[in-house]
Amino acid sequence: MRVLIGITGGVAAYKVCEVVSTLAKSGVAVRVLMTDQAQHFVSAVTFAALSRHPVYTDADFWSARSDHSDHSVYKPLHIALGEWADVFIIAPLTANTLGKLAHGLADNLLTNTVLASVCPVLLAPAMNTDMWQQATVQRNWQMLLQDARYHAVGPGAGRLACDRVGPGRLAEPVTVVAHITSLLHTSGRRDLAGKHILISAGSTREYLDPVRFIGNPATGRMGLALAAAAQHRGAQVTVVHGPLALELEATLPVGGRAIATTTAAEMEQAMLTCLAEADWVIMAAAVADVRPVDTAPHKLPKKDLPSQLPLDTVPDIVAQLTARRAPGQCIVGFAAQTGEIVAPALDKLKRKQLDAIVANPIDKPGSGFGSSNNEAVILSADGRQRQVVHGSKLALAHQLYDFLLEDFLLVSERQP
Ligand code: C5P
């Protein structure tokens, strides 16, 4: 996996250090090229150390030094770099370079490498709010995004280095890295374009009083990874989620719809309301299966806590969804299991009338609840089975979509 990172002259260049560092540590080969202006903000030495490789600048471009160790096969640097990269990301992307790309200009190493390559390009703009909102910049941006080769991450809104509060902030490094990971998996395919995917994420809570609840340790990481992967592949997403930690709320899909819920009844209501517009539904939330029969409106003093807690079961949301689905809607469940994972998941698949189920172990270190990683077996109603080895939740999300798309193709092939 080879990622080329182009850095242009914006103060947000310092945040890209983290992107380079994260990618290099995870074993991705990273090469950095910087414009002259970029070097006013962060030194090339910093990026060289983080990427474990010398940084390319315009000095290399004009001296026409080849990147190839085999000097008998000389290639100009911009062509060699373009051929080397699986994904090219430009972060921060200034208004100036954005304008050049929109008009197909090539006056330095970075812009020449863009034109001399065919890999997907991820653009991460960052600039002052007034610059971002200029009609010319917006026109250039829209023009660029019409080209399927270009993918966008951000800009977000917030307080900028110029003390303005508004859009123009570089997307957070974790979001940028996730988008790069997706592009490495898909090579830029937008194979979920036109699909609306409804995803439930996190846990639900059933309160005994305003303080105490029955819940579980699900954080929402899996559901949010499913949402990000779907968006990166061109889908429209709606996420119905339980309570999220602040740092995870920041990773809710921008441009998608997010509905916050707390109890299973609220999640059920939201999912049923959104069902009609969804092509695929993925029920990744860990729903609390029971709720206290009584809920006190005020915090119960310790001495009044019941020694036994009468419980009701909560509705099975996914079973409600499958019972109400329209023809062609695909509904996927999750089965978090301890011990044997396949047999109980197959039972759930049939009982809940699902199209597919993702069975994942929650008793293995580094998998399941709260972890950034997972492993699973994906099972489909038509008897297909796929083992997903231990990896990031984003990687599992992509493998689930690959699996479902295959199924979709199989079904369309079966139909006359
Ligand atoms: O029945 P069990 O909880 O083991 O099944 C797990 C699957 O069912 C998950 O997809 C989960 O989101 C869903 N579920 C649900 N409503 C419940 C319990 C689980 O939709 N009350």
Side-chain angles (χ1 to χ4, degrees):
M1 291 190 295
R2 297 182 296 206
V3 175
L4 182 60
I5 305 196
I7 300 178
T8 71
V11 65
Y14 81 92
K15 284 192 182 176
V16 184
C17 295
E18 197 176 328
V19 173
V20 173
S21 167
T22 308
L23 290 171
K25 278 187 203 152
S26 68
V28 173
V30 183
R31 300 284 184 272
V32 176
L33 61 87
M34 299 176 80
T35 63
D36 284 347
Q37 301 300 323
Q39 293 166 68
H40 290 294
F41 293 92
V42 178
S43 153
V45 176
T46 306
F47 284 112
L50 293 173
S51 66
R52 286 88 165 142
H53 196 276
V55 165
Y56 300 102
T57 65
D58 282 352
D60 306 305
F61 183 43
W62 303 118
S63 68
R65 196 184 73 202
S66 169
D67 185 40
H68 277 240
S69 41
D70 178 1
H71 288 282
S72 62
V73 209
Y74 171 78
K75 277 199 184 157
L77 184 56
H78 61 294
I79 294 170
L81 285 175
E83 286 178 356
W84 176 86
D86 293 320
V87 170
F88 191 176
I89 153 152
I90 306 177
L93 173 69
T94 55
N96 179 48
T97 300
L98 195 164
K100 288 190 217 171
L101 296 182
H103 294 276
L105 299 179
D107 65 347
N108 58 13
L109 176 61
L110 189 149
T111 47
N112 273 277
T113 307
V114 172
L115 291 192
S117 58
V118 292
C119 62
V121 181
L122 179 62
L123 302 172
M127 64 197 77
N128 157 275
T129 300
D130 288 330
M131 287 177 98
W132 175 248
Q133 290 176 335
Q134 284 298 326
T136 47
V137 174
Q138 283 305 307
R139 265 200 303 275
N140 286 339
W141 181 237
Q142 292 312 324
M143 205 149 81
L144 262 183
L145 295 186
Q146 277 168 23
D147 183 338
R149 187 182 178 206
Y150 293 108
H151 298 255
V153 58
R159 192 189 180 110
L160 308 178
C162 54
D163 273 338
R164 279 287 302 270
V165 178
R169 220 176 122 90
L170 186 79
E172 290 309 315
V174 57
T175 310
V176 175
V177 170
H179 212 127
I180 295 170
T181 309
S182 287
L183 290 176
L184 286 170
H185 182 91
T186 61
S187 307
R189 279 190 318 276
R190 289 184 175 86
D191 48 7
L192 294 178
K195 290 215 182 312
H196 189 148
I197 305 188
L198 171 62
I199 297 162
S200 72
S203 66
T204 60
R205 292 178 179 179
E206 307 301 331
Y207 280 88
L208 162 65
D209 69 11
V211 179
R212 302 163 180 110
F213 59 85
I214 295 174
N216 61 67
T219 54
R221 279 196 169 78
M222 188 64 238
L224 292 176
L226 284 160
Q231 267 200 331
H232 297 159
R233 291 170 85 142
Q236 192 187 341
V237 298
T238 297
V239 180
V240 173
H241 62 88
L244 294 177
L246 216 55
E247 91 264 12
L248 283 177
E249 246 177 69
T251 67
L252 275 168
V254 180
R257 187 145 62 111
I259 302 173
T261 63
T262 302
T263 64
E266 287 170 15
M267 186 172 276
E268 178 190 22
Q269 186 57 47
M271 291 297 286
L272 288 173
T273 306
C274 297
L275 176 65
E277 61 197 14
D279 298 296
W280 291 359
V281 181
I282 307 180
M283 193 70 202
V287 184
D289 290 309
V290 289
R291 65 176 159 224
V293 169
D294 300 310
T295 303
H298 307 294
K299 182 181 174 188
L300 295 169
K302 216 181 269 181
K303 66 177 175 41
D304 294 344
L305 284 173
S307 59
Q308 294 201 332
L309 195 59
L311 298 172
D312 271 341
T313 53
V314 302
D316 191 319
I317 303 172
V318 81
Q320 308 276 339
L321 297 172
T322 53
R324 287 168 171 74
R325 80 170 127 202
Q329 273 182 322
C330 164
I331 302 187
V332 180
F334 266 69
Q337 301 291 154
T338 54
E340 157 67 10
I341 64 170
V342 171
L346 274 173
D347 176 58
K348 277 179 206 181
L349 177 81
K350 291 201 181 81
R351 193 160 31 87
K352 299 180 189 230
Q353 302 275 299
L354 299 165
D355 296 291
I357 194 157
V358 182
N360 65 298
I362 49 168
D363 52 357
K364 289 198 178 171
S367 285
F369 292 142
S371 169
S372 297
N373 295 324
N374 218 346
E375 62 182 84
V377 180
I378 310 175
L379 306 151
S380 72
D382 60 7
R384 290 186 308 132
Q385 185 165 327
R386 179 160 316 159
Q387 187 85 36
V388 181
V389 296
H390 189 262
S392 71
K393 288 186 171 172
L394 190 70
L396 168 55
H398 279 298
Q399 289 178 75
L400 174 62
Y401 291 134
D402 293 344
F403 183 87
L404 295 176
L405 281 167
E406 268 170 34
D407 198 36
F408 196 69
L409 288 177
L410 288 177
V411 171
S412 14
E413 273 165 21
R414 278 200 297 269
Q415 283 165 359

